[in-house]
Amino acid sequence: MLALNLLDYSPIDEGKTARQALLETTELVQLAERSGYKRFWVAEHHKVASVAGSSPEMLMMHLAASTSSIRIGSGGVMLPHYSAYKVAENFRMLEALHPNRIDLGIGRSRSYQAVNKALNSMRERAVPYEEQLALLKQYFADEDALPAMPIIDTVPEMWLLGTGEGSAVLAAEKGMAYSYAHFARPSIDGMDIIRKYRSAFKASPFLEKPKVMIAVFAVVAETKEQAEEIAKAFDLWLLFVESNTPPPYYPSIETAKLRGFSANESEKVRANRKRMVIGDPDFVKAEIERIADRYGADEVTIIPNVAGAENRMEGIRLLAEAFGLAHP
């Protein structure tokens, strides 16, 4: 059966605070565990005032302690911001406390220049991404002269995140699992990228054969009409995020209805809709299965980034029921 995962941004709903958003993420992961999802990942976003997820390792520690069996991961840690050694020690600490439950999803940062500078202020030179990945593998395999502490018997599961051929080939060369961001680039060449990953894959001590995950935006509700209403707020949030003056909250469905869209915005909304699956549980299930089949994916990660914690909770519950996962 196709494995289903979740990736949460900890959106700060209109009228709520960052603390409330993080507590809602805690409730969401607990429901995901009861509902039978395999993994629950959290993102790293900086200078995006409408989401609270800025430090995945810290949030992961809390979520892992708040659950007992679901795998907890990063989607992802933006490796160019940090030293590979510090990332290795952070994730070894997580894995030591929660063995066989930790995923290290790694991304390549394309963040704001001010963020890059703030996170790298003491670094003398930029370490190439490929070199950082090699160092991470050495630390986790205890092959470096400088040991990453603590020394433990288990290893976090490593995934490379990407949208292009470069990241896919790099994942294949390093013997890592690969997560393709369909939600960011739902283009037809995605299948070619996955085929190249599989064909170029080299087994490593951490992974014997290629493993593929795809990530999709999904808006799920009892009916198609309800899903479309919820999606309008998602449309507006994406426009806000891509604007020069985004508000510090995720807009409500009511706000989206009252505001409407200009002709130029409507064109952007139509383009963004290609990045989403919207509908009732049976429709969304069928679309997810169709997309997964096209890619030959082993797992699908759902991003239920919609307005309202109650809508996020209901959406993942309905989808779990549609797929026949474990019931709460």
Side-chain angles (χ1 to χ4, degrees), residues 67 100 116 134 188 234 262 288:
T67 52
N100 298 308
N116 285 323
I188 195 166
F234 192 11
S262 69
I288 287 172

Side-chain angles (χ1 to χ4, degrees), residues 5-9 40-43 74-75 183 215 301-305:
N5 314 313
L6 294 173
L7 168 59
D8 187 49
Y9 291 174
F40 190 96
W41 285 8
V42 290
S74 58
F183 69 92
T301 294
I302 309 301
I303 310 173
N305 193 43

Side-chain angles (χ1 to χ4, degrees), residues 218-260:
V219 182
V220 192
E222 285 277 7
T223 67
K224 178 183 177 182
E225 292 73 23
Q226 290 173 328
E228 283 291 339
E229 283 221 331
I230 295 170
K232 286 184 175 62
F234 192 11
D235 294 330
L236 183 56
W237 180 79
L238 283 172
L239 291 175
F240 280 163
V241 168
E242 294 166 0
S243 71
N244 293 324
T245 55
Y249 57 80
Y250 192 117
S252 67
I253 297 168
E254 293 72 23
T255 293
K257 284 181 182 177
L258 289 170
R259 184 185 180 280

Side-chain angles (χ1 to χ4, degrees), residues 5-10 25 28-29 32 37-44 56 59-60 63 70-77 91 101-107 157-162 177-180 213-215 299 301-304:
N5 314 313
L6 294 173
L7 168 59
D8 187 49
Y9 291 174
S10 300
T25 289
L28 196 67
V29 72
Y37 288 87
K38 182 177 181 179
R39 309 175 196 272
F40 190 96
W41 285 8
V42 290
E44 177 182 345
L59 184 52
M60 284 173 61
L63 298 180
I70 192 169
R71 294 193 67 92
I72 303 296
S74 58
V77 166
F91 276 80
R101 289 187 58 206
I102 301 301
D103 298 333
L104 170 53
I106 303 161
E157 196 169 297
M158 287 189 286
W159 290 79
L160 196 65
L161 284 54
Y178 184 61
S179 178
Y180 181 77
M213 174 196 297
I214 58 169
E299 304 184 15
T301 294
I302 309 301
I303 310 173

Side-chain angles (χ1 to χ4, degrees), residues 179-193:
S179 178
Y180 181 77
H182 175 85
F183 69 92
R185 190 182 177 191
S187 57
I188 195 166
D189 64 347
M191 283 76 80
D192 290 332
I193 290 169

Side-chain angles (χ1 to χ4, degrees), residues 267-308:
E267 185 62 34
K268 291 181 179 178
V269 166
R270 281 191 289 273
N272 281 334
R273 282 294 180 104
K274 296 176 183 178
R275 302 162 59 187
M276 313 175 195
V277 180
I278 303 167
D280 61 58
D282 289 338
F283 174 81
V284 173
K285 174 180 181 288
E287 280 297 289
I288 287 172
E289 290 176 331
R290 182 185 65 82
I291 295 169
D293 185 63
R294 280 173 55 204
Y295 284 100
D298 303 294
E299 304 184 15
V300 175
T301 294
I302 309 301
I303 310 173
N305 193 43
V306 300

